[in-house]
Amino acid sequence: MKSAVLLLTLYFAGTYSQQLCDHPPSDWCSTWEIAKACQVEQQCRGYYSRKDLKKSNEPAVQVDLYYESLCGGCRKFLALQLFPTWLTLNEIMNVTLVPYGNAQEKNVSGKWEFTCQHGPDECYVNTIEACVMYHLQDIRSFFPVIFCIEFSSNLTSALEPCLAAYYPELTVKTVMACVNGDLGNKIMHQNAMQTDALNPPHEYVPWVVINGKHDDSLQDRAISALFNLICDTYTGPKPDACSSKGVTPLKRDSVCLS
C-alpha cells in the first residue's frame, strides 16, 4: 500500500486495508458498496443519494481557503476539516485553494520574487501545490494530491509519492518545470494579487471565505466545525450526511498572523 494512501486511511479508520479499494477518495462515500469495499462505512454512515441532490437548483456552498503550506494551523484545517468535509459533501460545496498566505512579493528585473513566512521551503511547496492545481484543474483530481502533501511529514519531498498514489498520469517532471519556470512564477503572482485583494484584508491564515464573505463568526465556525457550517449554509434539500455527526469538530488552532 502506498505511503500517501496509508496517511489518509489512518486518519479515517485508524487501521485500514486497501486490498479491495480501487476507487479515488472523492468516490468513497458515493455508494454504500464502495464505502464497504474501502472500509469506511462508519465515516460514510451519512451516505446520501447524489441523484436526489442533482435535482436541486440551489447553488453549492463556495469555500475559499487562503493558506500557506507550512503553517501548522493551515495544515490542520485542510487535512482534518476541509478535505474530509469535501469528501462527504462535495455535491453541495465547491472549494477553491489559494496557496500564498502571508508571503510578500517584489518585482526584480521583470520577475517576481517571493518571501514566505516560514522560509524558502514554504515558497517552494506553495508553488508545487499551485502548479499541481494548474495542471489538473479538476478539484476531484488535485485535492487528494494537495491533501497528501499537506498531511505528509516532509512536505518538500512529498510530491513524488503523492502523485504516484493519487494521480500518476501527472509527472513530477511536468510539475517541476512549472515550479522552476515562468509559469509557476506567474501563477504565484496571481495568487498574491488574489490574496491582496481580499476584502476585508486577511490578518492571518488559514483565512476562510464562505460564499464570498468573511467575518469572525464564519471563521470561527469554519475552523471548529466546517461540516456543520456547510450543512447549515446550504439552502437546498439537505443530504442525509447532514443528519449525521459528520467530521469531528476541532478546537480552534493557532493561526499564522500576517
Side-chain angles (χ1 to χ4, degrees):
M1 181 170 57
K2 297 185 175 79
S3 59
V5 176
L6 177 60
L7 288 171
L8 175 59
T9 52
L10 282 175
Y11 164 69
F12 273 108
T15 59
Y16 173 74
S17 168
Q18 184 137 1
Q19 294 177 355
L20 299 177
C21 182
D22 58 357
H23 302 276
S26 57
D27 288 343
W28 283 354
C29 293
S30 61
T31 72
W32 191 246
E33 289 75 16
I34 292 177
K36 289 176 66 177
C38 295
Q39 300 182 29
V40 289
E41 301 101 306
Q42 181 180 356
Q43 290 72 30
C44 295
R45 62 190 179 277
Y47 165 68
Y48 56 86
S49 169
R50 290 170 179 264
K51 181 178 179 181
D52 290 342
L53 285 174
K54 289 178 180 178
K55 294 178 181 178
S56 174
N57 292 321
E58 295 299 319
V61 180
Q62 178 65 43
V63 180
D64 302 328
L65 174 62
Y66 293 82
Y67 71 104
E68 53 197 27
S69 58
L70 299 190
C71 169
C74 297
R75 296 178 65 189
K76 186 173 182 180
F77 174 71
L78 189 151
L80 301 184
Q81 283 282 324
L82 183 57
F83 184 71
T85 296
W86 173 80
L87 280 178
T88 307
L89 299 179
N90 58 73
E91 288 295 336
I92 66 168
M93 66 183 292
N94 296 322
V95 174
T96 298
L97 303 175
V98 185
Y100 183 77
N102 298 325
Q104 301 291 325
E105 68 170 0
K106 62 179 180 179
N107 192 312
V108 178
S109 301
K111 184 175 182 179
W112 295 100
E113 292 186 358
F114 303 96
T115 303
C116 294
Q117 186 169 21
H118 298 94
D121 281 351
E122 182 165 78
C123 288
Y124 175 66
V125 179
N126 285 349
T127 311
I128 286 175
E129 294 185 359
C131 285
V132 167
M133 286 185 265
Y134 174 84
H135 280 293
L136 295 184
Q137 295 293 315
D138 184 356
I139 191 169
R140 290 168 63 91
S141 298
F142 69 69
F143 204 178
V145 179
I146 302 303
F147 163 83
C148 177
I149 293 173
E150 289 295 321
F151 206 44
S152 298
S153 58
N154 187 341
L155 278 70
T156 59
S157 62
L159 177 63
E160 184 172 1
C162 289
L163 284 179
Y166 291 113
Y167 210 94
E169 296 86 352
L170 178 61
T171 67
V172 173
K173 181 179 179 180
T174 297
V175 175
M176 294 311 298
C178 170
V179 171
N180 296 320
D182 291 340
L183 177 58
N185 193 257
K186 179 180 178 181
I187 294 170
M188 289 311 302
H189 173 55
Q190 292 172 343
N191 284 359
M193 291 191 297
Q194 188 173 345
T195 302
D196 291 343
L198 282 167
N199 186 16
H202 85 284
E203 301 171 1
Y204 49 80
V205 288
W207 187 265
V208 185
V209 179
I210 305 293
N211 286 340
K213 298 179 180 179
H214 174 95
D215 57 37
D216 290 343
S217 176
L218 281 173
Q219 176 78 18
D220 287 345
R221 291 186 67 193
I223 294 299
S224 63
L226 179 67
F227 185 96
N228 295 335
L229 175 59
I230 298 303
C231 288
D232 291 344
T233 303
Y234 182 63
T235 56
K238 307 295 184 185
D240 291 344
C242 287
S243 63
S244 71
K245 294 181 180 179
V247 177
T248 302
L250 294 176
K251 294 181 180 179
R252 178 159 184 166
D253 196 11
S254 59
V255 297
C256 296
L257 297 172
S258 60

